[in-house]
Amino acid sequence: MHGSLKLIRGGDVVSSSGITRADLLVEGEKIKALGTPGSLEGADETIDAAGTFVMPGLIDPHLHLNSPFMGTVTVHDYARGSAAAAFGGVTTIIDFSTQPKDGSILENMAQKETEAKDSYLDWSVSGILLDAGPRTLEELPRLVAAGYPTYKCFTTYKHSGRLIDDEGMLTLLEATADNGGMLMVHCENDTIIERRLRMEIGAGHFAPIYHARSRPASAEVVAIRRVIDLMREVPATVYIVHVSAADSMALIEEARAEGLPIHCETCTHYLALTEAKLEGPQGQLYICSPPLRAQKDVDGLWRAVASGGIEIVSSDDAGVSPQDNYRIGEGRFDKVPSGLSGIESRLAILYSEGVAKQRIDLPKLVELAAQNPARLFGMYPQKGILAPGSDADILVYDPSVEWTMTAKELHMNTDFCAFDGWKIKGRVRSVLSRGSFVIRDGRLVGKPGAGKRVFRRLSH
Amino acid sequence: MHGSLKLIRGGDVVSSSGITRADLLVEGEKIKALGTPGSLEGADETIDAAGTFVMPGLIDPHLHLNSPFMGTVTVHDYARGSAAAAFGGVTTIIDFSTQPKDGSILENMAQKETEAKDSYLDWSVSGILLDAGPRTLEELPRLVAAGYPTYKCFTTYKHSGRLIDDEGMLTLLEATADNGGMLMVHCENDTIIERRLRMEIGAGHFAPIYHARSRPASAEVVAIRRVIDLMREVPATVYIVHVSAADSMALIEEARAEGLPIHCETCTHYLALTEAKLEGPQGQLYICSPPLRAQKDVDGLWRAVASGGIEIVSSDDAGVSPQDNYRIGEGRFDKVPSGLSGIESRLAILYSEGVAKQRIDLPKLVELAAQNPARLFGMYPQKGILAPGSDADILVYDPSVEWTMTAKELHMNTDFCAFDGWKIKGRVRSVLSRGSFVIRDGRLVGKPGAGKRVFRRLSH
Amino acid sequence: MHGSLKLIRGGDVVSSSGITRADLLVEGEKIKALGTPGSLEGADETIDAAGTFVMPGLIDPHLHLNSPFMGTVTVHDYARGSAAAAFGGVTTIIDFSTQPKDGSILENMAQKETEAKDSYLDWSVSGILLDAGPRTLEELPRLVAAGYPTYKCFTTYKHSGRLIDDEGMLTLLEATADNGGMLMVHCENDTIIERRLRMEIGAGHFAPIYHARSRPASAEVVAIRRVIDLMREVPATVYIVHVSAADSMALIEEARAEGLPIHCETCTHYLALTEAKLEGPQGQLYICSPPLRAQKDVDGLWRAVASGGIEIVSSDDAGVSPQDNYRIGEGRFDKVPSGLSGIESRLAILYSEGVAKQRIDLPKLVELAAQNPARLFGMYPQKGILAPGSDADILVYDPSVEWTMTAKELHMNTDFCAFDGWKIKGRVRSVLSRGSFVIRDGRLVGKPGAGKRVFRRLSH
Amino acid sequence: MHGSLKLIRGGDVVSSSGITRADLLVEGEKIKALGTPGSLEGADETIDAAGTFVMPGLIDPHLHLNSPFMGTVTVHDYARGSAAAAFGGVTTIIDFSTQPKDGSILENMAQKETEAKDSYLDWSVSGILLDAGPRTLEELPRLVAAGYPTYKCFTTYKHSGRLIDDEGMLTLLEATADNGGMLMVHCENDTIIERRLRMEIGAGHFAPIYHARSRPASAEVVAIRRVIDLMREVPATVYIVHVSAADSMALIEEARAEGLPIHCETCTHYLALTEAKLEGPQGQLYICSPPLRAQKDVDGLWRAVASGGIEIVSSDDAGVSPQDNYRIGEGRFDKVPSGLSGIESRLAILYSEGVAKQRIDLPKLVELAAQNPARLFGMYPQKGILAPGSDADILVYDPSVEWTMTAKELHMNTDFCAFDGWKIKGRVRSVLSRGSFVIRDGRLVGKPGAGKRVFRRLSH
């Protein structure tokens, strides 16, 4: 009736609280015990973890699988995406389900549940809301009650019908305050961007760098400021997605000091790349929104990551194929289906650029990529921590390996790698999802369809 | 060769990361394992913890034992103080050793080691520096190397020769940057205070409330600002003791956003009492420095405690006997030996005013009173966490008990209780220090002298 | 060929630069010379001004004459309004002309020119824009070229079709940057207000105080912040009308420190009354938008007036008859035609509450009510200063008179006086417009129709 | 009995309020009248000012004549200094008198009065206080009563006994609040500077640029912040001399917004030169304290000058001879007698860099260099304005001349010119002091000893 017993022995077990040399005993899908080395007995199988870091499996709360976009579709479906994620140390992914125009978010969610049937990893979905109308308001509590308590809206993309205006935002804040969910907001001020777009295009500026020029850091700052202004009216829980500008953090911290429940993330690429990429070869493959910023933003975001101001680092995996990028883009930045693939590379960058360069320590990495996503997205302590009774989602990381990142070395469904040629310290050795190996000694051994939906419930 | 095995069974084990129903296996002085209920076997003795919270023993990093002060001495020696602390859930205390005027801090530390011989609890000491002269600079690295890496200085008390001026502060910051220690600073601007003292006394204002009037919140704010200004020159690690004014937090947060390594604490009484006490009966027994503040400060400090801005809550236990308070004070606030006794009451107030009133959750309490003190004062993960291999310093707290605090119900060496008559939720049932009971089912069963010195080493 | 020569003898001549005992020689419509007492000769007529302050005639740049509004019309037409203004020391008024919905602002302006034919005083008009569409954009440069270089828009009143959204605001800023005009903005965030309105009305809250509750200071702050955010994109000259909240000033000052060309005014009533009036007798007669605020706002606005942060104090005269207020209001704050009559009382309040109470000095009063309106609205140095060659618009103020303000003592077209019963220090003795008496020794001696249009041209 | 009558005809008369084509009639030492062109008659002598700007004579409130300093003396005595000043459009100078160590400021002032006997221009003196002891406190009210109501202290130069510490500063603030004077403060934090000096010198860094490195902008910011902190205790009137860092202005503006009576100036060189000069040829001749800063500071200071944040631009003329600079400096920045000569060049730089480059307009120049110095230093409206009854201190400036600045073209007592080779627009044609020419058509025609002491009285 109990599952088999696995002992992960002799590793350095990492939590947000620190690092302890300990053995980890797994029974079936759950963690049974942690003990001093040699203290736990009775295992059916022993995995030697000496010399490795044993961490909670990572959680990626921001990615777009199988998502139609500007005439193409993102490169990863659940099978390919979750497999690549597992190679990146991830054990739980949260995809997005986009409400059809004037349609039902619940119906779209049902379709996502079908798509997810071949996931290697546990999964959930956040909604993307296109309106704050009566049907949406009626469906939101049902969404939350169904275990999908997070949903996103946009302050931009008016031209494609995705912008939520101030009134809509206040309505969603009220709904969120009532239903106990969390409103994720993509913050870029549309008015500023549209004006700049007109100007750049009018001036015949089509090169990739003008994507960044038309979406300045100030557009993000302004949009965040407005969300905060509205939160002062209705202080519902908000999560600012993909903060890219260092200046945004002062606003967010100030709002917190007032007691407003505002959370935020940044993404891997904002911590590692600058807009200089847009001016280099293959520049248009680096187009994403918000765009890559300046080095001072990279530095500022790392500071905020280290100090706790930024609580999560996600991937925002949303790449399309380079072929489609070039075909649809037609040499114009404004036609490029924007987005980077990064579902696999997050841990490598966080470890090599963060831990190895002493910008953060390893417990902080676990906090950013596992514990906080679990907490803020309502899966804690089932996920995000290695504690007795928690799911045995386990990442075994070997810090002694050094390798060079290339598209070929990775397992994402694209031949473009934003970090091509980067030297990486450490590599995922094994990944267990609910007690079963998905990756073992560097090879994919999991099964598509083994992943289960995680019923999420927020606790704030 | 191993110690006996104790199993603490069925409690809700609390860490800064959350609460898990788990069993805890203790071997000798160390924690051996945590496991799901019923999963750990082989114990010699089983302690039923069902219905309780099992937490890391608390750490109090700011208290004054046996300390000569304004013609008297603080009420607690190591035996009385540590026993009372244990009743308050504490397992480790950090006392202060004051450098003699123009003398050796190391010699004084040696005397403290003698005094500490009858402590029930593990202990350490921080230095108090009266100068930044050559001898002090020569001794500081030796102090750090000896396991005492924290030391305090004052921005006030010029009249009694304790003030460190800007030049001294810069010197201490440089020394601290070099030796890897942490400089604790008592922040009240002396010039502002001295002027107000002269004015109040000149006006014949001797009532206790004038103690607060002569030491306004602005004096704290100004002093903190100056420390930060100097940290911008020499960014050594600083710990602001007993923040009492809500306005101080904005400065500290701003400094952190710049990347400055500044930490801070508040104390129990600033979270629970206001200066109104100074105008009530026995007003002069509430005189402490910095003084109790306004309700808006209490509220602001709780907000900072909840959001992580304030990292530690200490007791600053420094009371003298009420008899001495009155005798020496002679009815003048400026002659009163200031300080409150609170070594035992911290947990009760944090739980009743904080957790029970939902200002913080229990994992945050553990962070504030155990994990962060252990981390910041260099005892982690030996202390401050219940993890395999850590010291078995364990607090068993029964949340179902309700009681009324009085001096008589407490075990401190004073018949004055600052929280007299307060209704308290929950009570310490048992406390183990390195695997041995100090408090068992509410009775003191430990032994004076059982406590050991903790060798502290900072890791920032 | 020259006009007659009048000598205003022995007064204390006030400019923004100071007060000088001097004689003033007027030739026809212009000031000919200022000289030391007794130094100027040849006058046809001598007016003894000994013991009085001789100031530039005041300019009121914000008032609504003959304006249809919520089913009624404001109480003052050009004849009644300008006469009352003259009793208040004013020599130039700037009315508003509202663009018809989807209509021509120029056509409306032409109608205003007809209405103005019976003005006692020189006058001009600012536009009120309801949209930023092609016709408006085409007309704006013509408006500016016609001597009407200032026009206002609203961030609120969406329900009545007056709100200009972000996109419209950016468009107007661009147009303003191009045409050299000044965009006046009524700043109250509509989304916040509409939500609160729904809540208050839904809760059955109809008393006057709920007008203020539904239009909080934060709505003004938010709206100003947004204008500034857009100015950072397009730094055209902006004038924030009727600042009512003290918190607004920090934003405005910050924007100025960045170099943004932002100006602002407050109005008499925000400097003298608080929302307490809304809870007193005749509360609904005090309804205006933005509403009266708290005492801390009154204090903060005076500080900003004194320090130069607020550059102008206008009247925003916009009252309807008390009878209409009650009839249309039907006991519901949201139906009340909001607005106060104040075209005559501005100087009395500024002098009594400001100068006599030493919040400002008299040169500052001249700056706020004459020189700055002239400068910012493009009439300087023709108006707003007593200098050789300037229009002989002269106010003779007798500081020795004390009187009690009542509706009956005033000359406005209403039997309601917002400052009823206030003790006033000093009174207008005489007013000259372009060299001719309008008020002489307290009696109206001017002629309707004597006023001329002032062709305004901005110089920034 | 009256003086002769001079008519200055047809110029553009400039005041802080604007520019008016007008005639100016001077009777004896006073201005008798201003009138429209041709309106004033009866002059004994007519000066044609057509095509020129007629302004109030400038006032330089910050310069050091005949001042012993680091083993030498500043280059200008009263005769040479005031003559050079007159060539720069100045009609009133305010020198400094330094209290002897532990000595009498009044006695030193008496000596200054002797030195001043050969001044071409009207003059006054501010004190420099070296202590806040009993004698100083006793003398201060007498100093103020004697018409010297301004005095300066230092927050630096501890090594040469000039530093006033916090306690001294509070004492001086209290004295100032009582006696109605104005405390001028040289703001550079000594502790920061001394540490950096030790470091640079210890590292063998002696080049001029290390003067700037050892006195960073942050030292100024910190010192100003501290003065403000103390003003919050005792809000006496303060004047921050020679603001050099753009970051200082935010602090000062914030303090003003709180209502604190804080004023400030910058000096010519901080508006025109950067620390790059210290790295160029003759670098050590550009050493002054505070040092020249970065371009962003120059830009920020101009913004503050334009917006009114900075109220005065002075010269801080304090140069020693280049020969002495090199001889005493011995190739070490720390031995160089710091200070620039600039008593003559202020107007040229303000006009060419300010007015001609449209950073400020001409009325603002008059405000910065004449009206505000007169107001803040207690000589208004006797000086600083062209109004009936004011002193006939008149500057006639010909904007049509263009010339190149060199030491030879100037009249200062030095062969070094900090602005050597700069193209200048406009030139002083004539200067009248109390109705008499000092400069006429570019030639010095005044007399040494013609200048009189101005009795100053503050009015705040």
Side-chain angles (χ1 to χ4, degrees), chain C residues 14 119 141 163 209 223 239 343 374 403 436 457:
Chain C
V14 187
S119 178
L163 178 141
I209 187 63
Y239 179 86
I343 201 168
W403 56 293
S436 300
R457 200 185 326 251

Side-chain angles (χ1 to χ4, degrees), chain C residues 279-319:
Chain C
E279 301 187 284
Q282 294 191 297
Q284 80 179 60
L285 298 181
Y286 290 91
I287 288 180
C288 57
S289 297
L292 301 174
R293 304 286 183 201
Q295 188 58 42
K296 79 174 177 56
D297 293 293
V298 172
D299 296 340
L301 293 176
W302 272 115
R303 256 198 318 273
V305 159
S307 71
I310 290 175
E311 298 155 277
I312 290 177
V313 178
S314 72
S315 73
D316 195 6
D317 182 87

Side-chain angles (χ1 to χ4, degrees), chain D residues 6 8 24-32 55-57 91 122 381-383 385-387 389-395 431-438:
Chain D
K6 289 193 184 78
I8 299 176
L24 198 63
L25 189 64
V26 172
E27 184 177 39
E29 300 194 334
K30 297 288 181 185
I31 291 167
K32 185 173 187 187
M55 306 185 241
T91 53
D122 287 359
Q382 181 190 347
K383 306 283 191 189
I385 188 170
L386 299 177
S390 295
D391 281 358
D393 292 350
I394 302 169
L395 159 62
V431 171
L432 293 87
S433 168
R434 280 180 284 101
S436 300
F437 281 98
V438 183

Side-chain angles (χ1 to χ4, degrees), chain D residues 183-244:
Chain D
L183 180 61
M184 306 163 74
V185 191
H186 173 134
C187 284
E188 292 187 285
N189 180 272
D190 197 66
T191 313
I192 289 174
I193 290 169
E194 282 299 314
R195 177 177 171 270
R196 292 199 173 209
L197 272 176
R198 278 195 309 275
M199 284 172 59
E200 299 298 2
I201 291 170
H205 294 157
F206 294 117
I209 187 63
Y210 293 102
H211 180 78
R213 301 266 163 84
S214 64
R215 309 181 85 87
S218 62
E220 179 175 301
V221 167
V222 165
I224 292 177
R225 185 142 55 211
R226 292 183 176 201
V227 171
I228 292 171
D229 280 339
L230 297 176
M231 288 179 69
R232 290 196 180 103
E233 278 297 294
V234 184
T237 302
V238 163
Y239 179 85
I240 308 292
V241 294
H242 49 50
V243 171
S244 67

Side-chain angles (χ1 to χ4, degrees), chain D residues 131-306:
Chain D
D131 66 59
R135 181 205 280 239
T136 303
L137 296 179
E138 186 271 330
E139 289 192 343
L140 272 185
R142 295 164 59 196
L143 197 69
V144 173
Y148 300 116
T150 54
Y151 35 85
K152 183 168 76 163
C153 68
F154 298 92
T155 67
T156 185
Y157 302 133
K158 187 180 188 179
H159 61 81
S160 59
R162 286 181 281 173
L163 179 142
I164 296 287
D165 66 10
D166 286 349
E167 200 177 329
M169 186 77 74
L170 261 190
T171 302
L172 292 180
L173 287 169
E174 285 178 328
T176 300
D178 288 346
N179 69 34
M182 179 166 78
L183 180 61
M184 306 163 74
V185 191
H186 173 134
C187 284
E188 292 187 285
N189 180 272
D190 197 66
T191 313
I192 289 174
I193 290 169
E194 282 299 314
R195 177 177 171 270
R196 292 199 173 209
L197 272 176
R198 278 195 309 275
M199 284 172 59
E200 299 298 2
I201 291 170
H205 294 157
F206 294 117
I209 187 63
Y210 293 102
H211 180 78
R213 301 266 163 84
S214 64
R215 309 181 85 87
S218 62
E220 179 175 301
V221 167
V222 165
I224 292 177
R225 185 142 55 211
R226 292 183 176 201
V227 171
I228 292 171
D229 280 339
L230 297 176
M231 288 179 69
R232 290 196 180 103
E233 278 297 294
V234 184
T237 302
V238 163
Y239 179 85
I240 308 292
V241 294
H242 49 50
V243 171
S244 67
D247 286 348
S248 298
M249 292 313 303
L251 293 179
I252 291 172
E253 293 287 19
E254 197 177 285
R256 285 173 182 156
E258 291 174 33
L260 295 178
I262 186 167
H263 300 285
C264 71
E265 64 166 23
T266 190
C267 309
T268 323
H269 38 292
Y270 301 117
L271 290 172
L273 304 172
T274 70
E275 63 178 16
K277 282 290 181 198
L278 294 167
E279 302 187 283
Q282 295 191 295
Q284 82 180 58
L285 298 181
Y286 290 91
I287 288 179
C288 57
S289 297
L292 302 175
R293 303 286 184 200
Q295 187 58 41
K296 77 172 181 54
D297 293 292
V298 172
D299 297 340
L301 293 176
W302 272 115
R303 257 197 319 272
V305 159

